[in-house]
Amino acid sequence: MATDSLELRAAYILHRRAYSNTSLLIECMTPDQGRLPLIARGAMGRDSGGLQPFVPLLIRWSGRGEVKSLGAYERGAPPLSFSGERLFCGFYINELLLRLTRREDPQPSLYGLYEATLLQIAGAVSLEGLLRRFELRLLEELGYGLNLLLCDAHGEGCPVRADQWYGFDVESGPVSPAPRDGVRVSGRTLLALDGGGALDETVLREAKGLLRHVLRHYLGERPLKSRELFTRL
Amino acid sequence: MSGKPLLEQLMQALRCLPGVGPRSAQRMAFHLLERDREGGRHLARLLEASMERIGHCGRCRTLSEEAVCALCANPRRSDAQLCVVESPAEVAALEQATDFGGRYFVLGGRLSPLDGIGPREIGLDLLARRLSEEGTEELILATNPTVEGEATAHYIGQMARERGIRVTRIAHGVPLGGELEYVDGGTLSHAFAGRRDY
């Protein structure tokens, strides 16, 4: 269970919503306590501007039970100023974290990944590439890391070849031959995702299909709502 | 019905109003019963009728008794400007504070995917139809300066630009009568970046 924090600790708000008349229920991401729900009493309206997602915060909390009380807080650094599409990407990674992580499961490296990704969103050229890299790293941090390089890992296994097509099993990785329907991915894309380089358009398109398939497995049937922001009415 | 005494039920029911806790609810209940029964009956009748008869305007989604609200039906208002706000209360605030003579569109919320609120839930399919069919020349984004309000503004702004409509956003800055020293950093940097010729 999360202990009271007497000193100010770093945190980001993943989500906030109204709670009773004047308070906010905020869901924070912290390095040492993982995801942490806090009540910010009387914060609605009055200076709630500081308690927003994508603002690096320093916070203090106290209390018993699952939901603690937010104490003093201040800005840790200037807020990340991203707008438009970048804001949509921010919502998307926040939703992924809310759906896939559990409360009070300390994962300092996950916090590092989150913070680094937010900073990159502010300046990234390819947002798609950034999101795919985030999804792969997130799966790894949660213990669902993908095998991208070894085909038919259950059987004899052979290295993935760039010029071949594969199916993909969420738990074991690439399978050959590729099925006629369902997710299909080229060896070239699998190799590119495993490497650290920039991802071209073809790779991005296939990677999107692949990661959707994988994420659906862990998220269940309810789709990610923030995906709707990327479609037009 | 539950077996609770009526008085207790009344006090409990009054607490559905914003800002009303147990003590205020008790004062209200005693006041109506002891001093103003007629006022209480009047309130009950009006509440009943309002809950039944007030719905949403089919064009701008603000609260309205009629299928189309008075602002949308007024022929003297201009169709060239359309102002998008989050709530009906903001229509009232803008009407009192400005001389805006165009039309409104009320979202009834803001994009907040983590609460399950996407473009359809705030009526953007209806807004898209209006933008395509009516001769809107300027779309004024008056959503709140929160991250969700910004995301909403961006989404709607894209919809309008795709249709060749000019998009403007209300200014955010130092409140009138305020002092720079006490304004929060975010607002101040926004106000500074958005300075105008003087």
Side-chain angles (χ1 to χ4, degrees):
Chain A
M1 187 147 69
T3 47
D4 289 7
S5 110
L6 298 174
E7 55 208 273
L8 289 167
R9 309 273 187 94
Y12 279 95
I13 291 179
L14 290 179
H15 184 50
R16 56 172 208 171
R17 63 188 166 84
Y19 178 81
S20 77
N21 281 323
T22 54
S23 300
L24 290 170
L25 175 59
I26 59 180
E27 200 77 40
C28 288
M29 194 70 187
T30 63
D32 324 316
Q33 311 286 347
R35 183 152 76 77
L36 194 64
L38 296 173
I39 297 275
R41 286 185 208 288
M44 183 96 110
R46 177 183 66 88
D47 71 24
S48 65
L51 290 176
Q52 291 210 53
F54 319 126
V55 179
L57 291 173
L58 293 169
I59 63 170
R60 193 178 286 156
W61 66 83
S62 61
R64 294 149 203 259
E66 196 186 355
V67 182
K68 317 252 184 302
S69 290
L70 176 72
Y73 68 91
E74 51 189 76
R75 276 207 179 135
L80 302 164
S81 66
F82 40 83
S83 53
E85 295 283 322
R86 293 171 202 275
L87 212 43
F88 297 172
C89 292
F91 283 132
Y92 179 75
I93 65 173
N94 281 5
E95 189 175 13
L96 271 180
L97 284 177
L98 276 179
R99 293 277 298 273
L100 291 175
T101 60
R102 279 174 313 183
R103 285 173 169 175
E104 297 191 19
D105 184 5
Q107 286 168 311
S109 54
L110 184 57
Y111 182 85
L113 169 66
Y114 178 66
E115 183 162 47
T117 306
L118 285 188
L119 291 173
Q120 285 169 348
I121 285 180
V125 184
S126 162
L127 289 170
E128 288 245 348
L130 184 62
L131 291 182
R132 299 296 91 78
R133 294 267 179 232
F134 174 78
E135 289 163 346
L136 285 170
R137 287 276 314 277
L138 175 64
L139 289 167
E140 244 170 68
E141 293 290 342
L142 298 173
Y144 307 137
L146 300 182
N147 158 35
L148 298 167
L149 296 181
L150 195 64
C151 173
D152 297 321
H154 276 330
E156 299 199 349
C158 61
V160 159
R161 286 177 32 194
D163 56 356
Q164 277 226 15
W165 283 89
Y166 299 91
F168 199 90
D169 178 76
V170 174
E171 274 157 32
S172 71
V175 287
S176 177
R180 210 168 288 166
D181 43 5
V183 63
R184 279 164 57 90
V185 58
S186 68
R188 184 170 160 272
T189 293
L190 291 170
L191 293 169
L193 286 177
D194 187 71
L199 307 173
D200 67 40
E201 223 168 279
T202 321
V203 169
L204 283 175
R205 197 175 54 241
E206 285 179 28
K208 190 175 190 170
L210 173 67
L211 279 153
R212 269 191 182 214
H213 171 69
V214 174
L215 287 172
R216 197 181 307 127
H217 177 82
Y218 293 112
L219 289 166
E221 282 309 302
R222 189 157 61 90
L224 288 166
K225 196 74 182 172
S226 31
R227 282 204 186 119
E228 289 181 17
L229 298 181
F230 297 97
T231 60
R232 289 276 164 287
L233 280 176
Chain B
M1 286 301 281
S2 67
K4 272 190 194 169
L6 258 180
L7 181 58
E8 221 168 280
Q9 288 182 43
L10 174 62
M11 291 192 287
Q12 189 62 41
L14 284 167
R15 291 182 57 190
C16 75
L17 292 164
V20 176
R23 272 192 69 82
S24 326
Q26 184 176 324
R27 276 182 56 210
M28 290 176 183
F30 283 143
H31 175 83
L32 291 176
L33 291 168
E34 298 243 87
R35 302 193 197 284
D36 197 1
R37 288 207 176 221
E38 196 39 51
R41 283 195 194 97
H42 183 60
L43 177 64
R45 281 193 299 273
L46 270 183
L47 268 179
E48 173 84 44
S50 303
M51 294 308 118
E52 289 306 318
R53 297 220 305 267
I54 299 179
H56 289 95
C57 168
R59 279 167 57 81
C60 75
R61 298 177 25 118
T62 196
L63 293 171
S64 168
E65 251 178 274
E66 313 291 334
V68 173
C69 73
L71 286 172
C72 287
N74 186 343
R76 282 203 298 277
R77 296 187 76 100
S78 158
D79 284 327
Q81 289 178 312
L82 183 65
C83 178
V84 179
V85 296
E86 290 183 15
S87 74
E90 289 159 1
V91 173
L94 283 170
E95 276 301 290
Q96 281 159 21
T98 70
D99 58 356
F100 178 60
R103 308 284 184 189
Y104 289 96
F105 189 84
V106 179
L107 301 170
R110 60 192 97 171
L111 287 178
S112 182
L114 280 64
D115 294 308
I117 299 171
R120 271 173 215 288
E121 283 76 15
I122 54 171
L124 295 191
D125 39 351
L126 174 61
L127 179 63
R129 244 190 346 266
R130 280 189 68 175
L131 292 178
S132 298
E133 289 166 7
E134 294 169 16
T136 309
E137 288 164 22
E138 178 185 358
L139 182 94
I140 303 163
L141 294 165
T143 54
N144 292 315
T146 56
V147 283
E148 290 88 359
E150 282 302 323
T152 311
H154 178 75
Y155 191 96
I156 298 172
Q158 279 181 320
M159 276 169 52
R161 268 183 227 111
E162 275 168 10
R163 291 163 172 84
I165 296 167
R166 176 181 175 219
V167 180
T168 56
R169 178 99 170 94
I170 58 164
H172 310 302
V174 182
L176 289 180
E179 306 209 14
L180 297 195
E181 187 187 346
Y182 300 108
V183 172
D184 79 279
T187 307
L188 196 53
S189 78
H190 213 105
F192 198 79
R195 65 188 180 277
R196 288 197 306 198
D197 287 325
Y198 181 73

